[in-house]
Amino acid sequence: MRNNFYIETYGCQMNVVDSEIVVAVLQKNGFHLTFETQNADIILVNTCSIRENAEQRVRGRIDLFKSFKKNNSKILVCVLGCMSQRLKEALLNDVDFVVGPDAYRNLPFLIENAKNGQKSIDVKLSKTEIYDDILPFRYEENKVSAFVSIMRGCDYMCAYCIVPFVRGRERSRNPQTILQEINELEKQNFKEVTILGQNVDKYNWNNEINFAQLLEKIAVSFPKMRIRFSTSYPSDMTDEVLLTMKNFSNICKSIHLPVQSGNSRVLNLMKRNYTREKYLERIAAIRNILPECSISTDIIAGFCSETDIEHAETISLMKIANFDAAFMFKYSERPNTFAARELKDDISDEIKSKRLTEIIELQNELSLQNNKNDVGKIFEVLIESTSKRSETEFLGRNSQNKAIIFSAPSHKIGDFVNVKILECTSATLKGEIV
Ligand code: 5AD
Ligand code: SF4
């Protein structure tokens, strides 16, 4: 066996980093990464359980990879990530081995077992595993911007959310190793890092360093790098964080602040620790301290018992907050969560769809209007790639995380350039180099 492995990643940014950790672990143990399934002896699928449709999509891929075994019975198929943690043994009927998010160090051992025909599973959740000593291998095409995980797990128990069940307790990473990892990225010529946690505001190293202090340390240590972060939790996001963002021009002016609902009763049912008023107070604080900051959010349509009037409050909150972008979902009941155990998923799919459409249409209008306000402005843009539509144009992002298309014949990916915005759609800005 050549020990070639192929990996496919679904779900959130956290999973992207996890796959990079998996690649690093396997390479260290004599396995070789391939980008072609036909060259692979081992196929790994890193999965997401956040919503049912996320799982369905992955199921299709697993079925396809399973069918490869008909031509080559030696191929091993493995499920990694949140679905393995959720479904555990049940997945073993379909694949050769199953490995949860806290067990990636054991992969080489589990592969050996599987080679010997022994189906194995490791889904132990750990209170301490943070993969601190493993430098993720950045195998994605993008060599400009990388994710750096600063914590794992989540200690909140939002009623709808599977994350605490599949990723375990919250733990923060040693700031020293975070800085080392970013230093390594800078040496490799990366220009931007996005530091990641389920709730970055809860970052806490030995009660000595909080999130704002970590941000400052990173901004001071890497003045030439752009720094982004995700995800903030509304009632935990402090003015200290906002002031740190204001003080450092290399910290990008963009905040992802999931609201989920604009109605306080629904937020309470969701076990979110804030009200509509508190959320809007935090939006006002951002607008006040960082007037040029963009704000994006997550919204769930049709949570248990949500009324039309409560949905209308989400619509009105969206208008007040004037989000630049949003990820919008229909509520999807997840097994074992508080909502699945205690609440009724009683909003019909038809009403969920209707509410979601209304939310999406409004967000498209808000995004378009916000983008129109950018026409005529000049932004510093980091070039990330060529544009999908045209080889002669680049795609880059400004500090606000907006995608900008422009042509710049004498520049290359990884350059910072100034771009004047000439036109826009709700999704992108178009401009010219100045
Ligand atoms: N149903 C629908 N959306 C969900 N999210 C999390 N769990 C669910 C669920 N059960 C959304 C939330 C979260 C984002 C990552 O996914 O909006 O912020
Ligand atoms: Fe899920 Fe809540 Fe944790 Fe976010 S904060 S990941 S919604 S449990």
Side-chain angles (χ1 to χ4, degrees):
M1 205 183 205
R2 299 156 300 170
N3 276 340
N4 290 345
F5 70 97
Y6 167 88
I7 185 164
E8 218 164 77
T9 307
Y10 294 87
C12 61
Q13 299 166 331
M14 208 70 80
N15 256 15
V16 173
V17 180
D18 277 8
S19 285
E20 293 170 347
I21 289 171
V22 165
V23 171
V25 167
L26 290 178
Q27 285 181 333
K28 205 167 166 200
N29 284 276
F31 295 86
H32 315 288
L33 176 65
T34 170
F35 294 100
E36 313 287 341
T37 49
Q38 62 266 33
N39 294 335
D41 311 300
I42 304 149
I43 295 179
L44 306 160
V45 191
N46 196 358
T47 60
C48 168
S49 284
I50 195 100
R51 283 169 296 276
E52 199 184 340
N53 55 10
E55 288 199 358
Q56 274 162 1
R57 198 165 341 131
V58 173
R59 285 232 169 245
R61 293 302 283 173
I62 295 173
D63 288 344
L64 173 74
F65 296 140
K66 227 170 62 179
S67 73
F68 291 178
K69 283 170 169 289
K70 286 188 201 125
N71 293 332
N72 177 356
S73 62
K74 290 228 170 83
I75 287 188
L76 299 174
V77 181
C78 169
V79 181
L80 307 172
C82 297
M83 249 172 105
S84 359
Q85 197 64 44
R86 191 176 85 71
L87 294 165
K88 305 189 174 72
E89 284 83 4
L91 278 171
L92 275 183
N93 292 331
D94 292 329
V95 298
D96 298 287
F97 55 118
V98 173
V99 187
D102 284 347
Y104 295 146
R105 279 178 205 276
N106 293 340
L107 262 170
F109 168 74
L110 296 164
I111 292 176
E112 283 314 312
N113 277 351
K115 275 188 199 165
N116 297 328
Q118 209 182 320
K119 290 209 170 201
S120 37
I121 177 159
D122 191 343
V123 287
K124 277 191 286 300
L125 280 178
S126 158
K127 282 201 177 133
T128 53
E129 179 60 275
I130 194 101
Y131 299 113
D132 227 352
D133 53 317
I134 298 173
L135 191 63
F137 183 78
R138 319 283 168 180
Y139 62 92
E140 301 265 357
E141 230 173 86
N142 180 337
K143 303 286 182 223
V144 172
S145 180
F147 299 124
V148 173
S149 156
I150 60 164
M151 53 208 294
R152 290 181 78 84
C154 184
D155 275 358
Y156 283 143
M157 280 281 174
C158 303
Y160 50 81
C161 187
I162 193 93
V163 168
F165 300 90
V166 292
R167 284 186 172 268
R169 300 301 299 267
E170 182 178 281
R171 57 228 113 110
S172 294
R173 181 177 173 192
N174 184 331
Q176 222 45 51
T177 69
I178 297 171
L179 292 173
Q180 276 163 14
E181 188 174 322
I182 301 175
N183 190 37
E184 198 55 44
L185 287 165
E186 191 171 47
K187 277 202 244 157
Q188 291 172 25
N189 232 357
F190 279 82
K191 301 290 167 61
E192 180 181 275
V193 291
T194 304
I195 56 182
L196 294 181
Q198 297 293 344
N199 176 1
V200 289
D201 301 296
K202 294 282 287 300
Y203 178 86
N204 172 349
W205 181 250
N206 288 344
N207 288 330
E208 285 165 16
I209 300 184
N210 67 16
F211 179 59
Q213 291 159 328
L214 176 72
L215 253 187
E216 171 159 353
K217 257 182 196 298
I218 298 173
V220 169
S221 309
F222 304 99
K224 293 214 186 84
M225 274 224 175
R226 269 189 177 181
I227 297 137
R228 301 186 183 281
F229 59 87
S230 184
T231 302
S232 306
Y233 188 93
S235 47
D236 293 332
M237 188 196 62
T238 58
D239 284 354
E240 192 190 355
V241 169
L242 301 178
L243 291 167
T244 307
M245 291 174 75
K246 185 186 170 83
N247 285 343
F248 293 93
S249 61
N250 57 333
I251 305 180
C252 288
K253 304 300 178 275
S254 146
I255 295 179
H256 185 61
L257 199 66
V259 66
Q260 315 300 1
S261 162
N263 170 267
S264 296
R265 187 192 73 90
V266 174
L267 287 170
N268 185 41
L269 261 191
M270 287 176 164
K271 295 188 177 287
R272 301 286 284 180
N273 295 329
Y274 54 91
T275 56
R276 171 188 174 90
E277 290 70 32
K278 173 72 188 176
Y279 185 87
L280 287 174
E281 183 276 318
R282 290 289 76 202
I283 294 288
I286 299 172
R287 299 284 183 226
N288 178 29
I289 297 173
L290 300 166
E292 78 281 40
C293 191
S294 68
I295 306 176
S296 58
T297 199
D298 294 344
I299 298 172
I300 298 177
F303 187 65
C304 312
S305 76
E306 183 189 65
T307 64
D308 279 336
I309 292 170
E310 289 165 340
H311 161 69
E313 281 211 71
T314 298
I315 295 289
S316 80
L317 180 137
M318 290 172 70
K319 291 180 186 160
I320 300 170
N322 191 14
F323 296 117
D324 293 273
F327 297 96
M328 301 155 283
F329 314 101
K330 276 195 251 184
Y331 171 59
S332 157
E333 185 177 271
R334 308 310 291 132
N336 297 323
T337 55
F338 177 83
R341 285 182 281 118
E342 305 288 335
L343 306 173
K344 248 178 139 179
D345 182 10
D346 54 359
I347 307 299
S348 70
D349 194 58
E350 197 187 334
I351 293 182
K352 283 181 189 171
S353 296
K354 189 170 148 270
R355 289 180 187 168
L356 181 64
T357 306
E358 203 183 323
I359 288 169
I360 292 173
E361 281 173 1
L362 171 59
Q363 187 53 51
N364 285 344
E365 278 172 38
L366 294 177
S367 300
L368 180 64
Q369 197 47 51
N370 282 321
N371 284 351
K372 278 188 180 161
N373 292 342
D374 286 340
V375 172
K377 289 187 191 161
I378 296 173
F379 294 107
E380 184 185 58
V381 175
L382 171 59
I383 306 180
E384 279 183 13
S385 60
T386 52
S387 135
K388 267 191 207 128
R389 293 224 183 108
S390 141
E391 278 290 305
T392 61
E393 286 183 312
F394 284 126
L395 176 118
R397 279 173 202 278
N398 61 4
S399 173
Q400 287 75 8
N401 208 21
K402 290 194 180 177
I404 303 178
I405 311 271
F406 54 97
S407 68
S410 54
H411 288 278
K412 58 183 191 315
I413 292 171
D415 285 353
F416 286 98
V417 290
N418 287 326
V419 176
K420 181 173 182 184
I421 306 307
L422 301 175
E423 52 182 295
C424 70
T425 66
S426 63
T428 40
L429 302 174
K430 267 194 126 181
E432 67 182 12
I433 252 192
V434 288

